[in-house]
Structures are given as structure tokens and as C-alpha cells.
Amino acid sequence: MSNGPALYLGRVGSTGTSTGPHAHWQVKKDGKLIPLSTARTDIGQYIQFRRPGQADWTSLYTKGQDGNFALAPGVEAPEGTSAFGMREKHPVHGDRRMHWGEDYKFDEGTQLRFLGQGSVSTHASRGGAGNVSALRLPSGYELETLHLSELPNAATTYRSSPSSGLEEEGPAVDKDTLQSTMKNLLFEAALRKSQNNSLLSGFSPYSQVPDPVEVFKKLR
């Protein structure tokens, strides 16, 4: 597992509404939010962290001799207000509200990554969630990491190396994403050329991108 491809998720911080540096993970399976601790075999064992000044990467959950998965030494399990579930008193707002994720304590600047295939998107300054790195997996799982101090520059895949950590491998963009991006760019170029807002009627470029060839035909 340590020598496979890795997806960089960012660095731990305290952006947004936060009581301090920690990793806040929210997990969805087929659209339903679930605790990360219940997905430790599917998600947790593939999450790795590297603390500031640490040379090697460490798996968040590892399988013991008894066959059970346990947290890495030194990582605190989410308890009380940091666990998944209803909070009787929110640590910042002071009211009763649901906590949809799990908080794991890490020092600021700790690097996070995920071993395996998937795609990463980033969301800067997303309200109380702060900087968010969102990972989508072929298995149907989605993993969001909140309150980050640093986001990946792009959906980039890396090779893990025991000696040097991460080596950039190239953009982790699948064919469908690339085609969609190209259509968006062509459509926006067509709009700038025509300056005709009527081309926008009936659809949004963010949800339904027209065939750029048809758009250019209208400009003749």
C-alpha cells in the first residue's frame, strides 16, 4: 500500500469555524453521511498523514494481529463533541446541533493524502467549513476534509516514496472530466467572441454544456 498512487488532500489547519487545528472528515456512502470510524476498512486504512518534521507517512487506521483496525498510535479517537452525532452544546456557537463528521487531532501543517484511485476537488473558504478538499472514489464513497490550511493546487496524483515522500506524477483527471472542462472553455470563448447573451437562454453552462460545434455554427 505504501508504494501505490496517492491523492494529496492538503494540510491540517483551522480555517472556517474551528476550535483549533484538527482533521474533520465527513464521509458519504451513496449520498448518505456516515462516521469515518465505521468505514475504517474501506476509507480509514487508505488515509495517511505526515506530521511536520516527520519523514514517513503513517496510515490513520491499521490492521492488527487480531484482524481489527485500530487508530495509529498518538491519534486521538473522536469523543464527545468531536464525534459523529448530536452535540448538546456546540463548542463555538453554544447551541444544540448535529455534527456530521468526526474530528481527529493533528498539529497544524500535518499533510494528508489518500492511497488509491479517485478524484479530488477543492473548495476555498466554504463558510464555517473553511477550506475543503473533496475526494470522490469509484466505490461510491465521498470523503470531505474540512478546515484545511492548504489545499492541493489541482487534482494531482502522486507516487509515494519512502525516502522523499511525494513525487508528483501528473494531473489525476479522467477522460470525462477533461472533455467537460474543454467544452466549458470552448463555450466561454464563444460567448466572449459573440457577446450575445441570448446564447445562454434555456441552459446553464455549469449544469448543461452545449456542443461547442453547434455554438460556433451560430456565430457564422
Side-chain angles (χ1 to χ4, degrees):
M1 220 170 35
S2 61
N3 293 320
L7 292 166
Y8 186 54
L9 301 179
R11 291 179 189 265
V12 172
S14 56
T15 56
T17 304
S18 172
T19 56
H22 65 278
H24 174 115
W25 278 302
Q26 291 185 178
V27 179
K28 286 183 181 179
K29 173 59 175 174
D30 298 326
K32 181 181 178 182
L33 282 161
I34 61 173
L36 172 61
S37 54
T38 65
R40 53 189 178 274
T41 58
D42 299 300
I43 300 289
Q45 66 172 319
Y46 302 112
I47 295 175
Q48 292 194 327
F49 63 90
R50 185 166 66 177
R51 293 187 174 95
Q54 182 178 329
D56 299 325
W57 290 85
T58 304
S59 294
L60 181 66
Y61 279 91
T62 56
K63 190 174 183 178
Q65 293 181 349
D66 58 0
N68 295 320
F69 282 84
L71 277 169
V75 179
E76 295 182 14
E79 296 179 354
T81 59
S82 67
F84 183 97
M86 183 62 68
R87 286 172 161 174
E88 294 302 321
K89 185 177 181 181
H90 191 279
V92 176
H93 300 289
D95 58 355
R96 186 174 186 269
R97 65 176 65 187
M98 183 68 183
H99 186 230
W100 294 107
E102 288 187 343
D103 296 342
Y104 295 74
K105 189 174 180 180
F106 289 103
D107 295 331
E108 177 130 18
T110 297
Q111 292 180 297
L112 304 172
R113 71 180 184 180
F114 185 86
L115 300 184
Q117 300 299 318
S119 60
V120 176
S121 59
T122 59
H123 311 273
S125 303
R126 201 178 76 180
N131 297 328
V132 179
S133 178
L135 169 68
R136 185 182 295 271
L137 304 174
S139 59
Y141 281 99
E142 296 176 51
L143 174 70
E144 285 192 331
T145 309
L146 280 57
H147 308 304
L148 294 168
S149 63
E150 176 193 83
L151 291 170
N153 291 329
T156 304
T157 177
Y158 296 81
R159 289 189 304 271
S160 55
S161 167
S163 59
S164 59
L166 290 178
E167 298 177 23
E168 187 170 335
E169 190 171 71
V173 181
D174 56 51
K175 182 179 179 182
D176 291 339
T177 301
L178 183 60
Q179 289 178 339
S180 176
T181 301
M182 291 301 295
K183 282 188 176 183
N184 270 290
L185 291 173
L186 287 170
F187 178 56
E188 290 173 5
L191 287 181
R192 285 197 297 271
K193 181 177 180 181
S194 67
Q195 295 183 341
N196 184 357
N197 290 332
S198 65
L199 288 174
L200 284 171
S201 61
F203 57 80
S204 165
Y206 298 101
S207 60
Q208 182 183 350
V209 180
D211 185 341
V213 176
E214 296 301 319
V215 174
F216 276 108
K217 283 182 180 178
K218 294 182 180 181
L219 301 178
R220 290 181 179 178

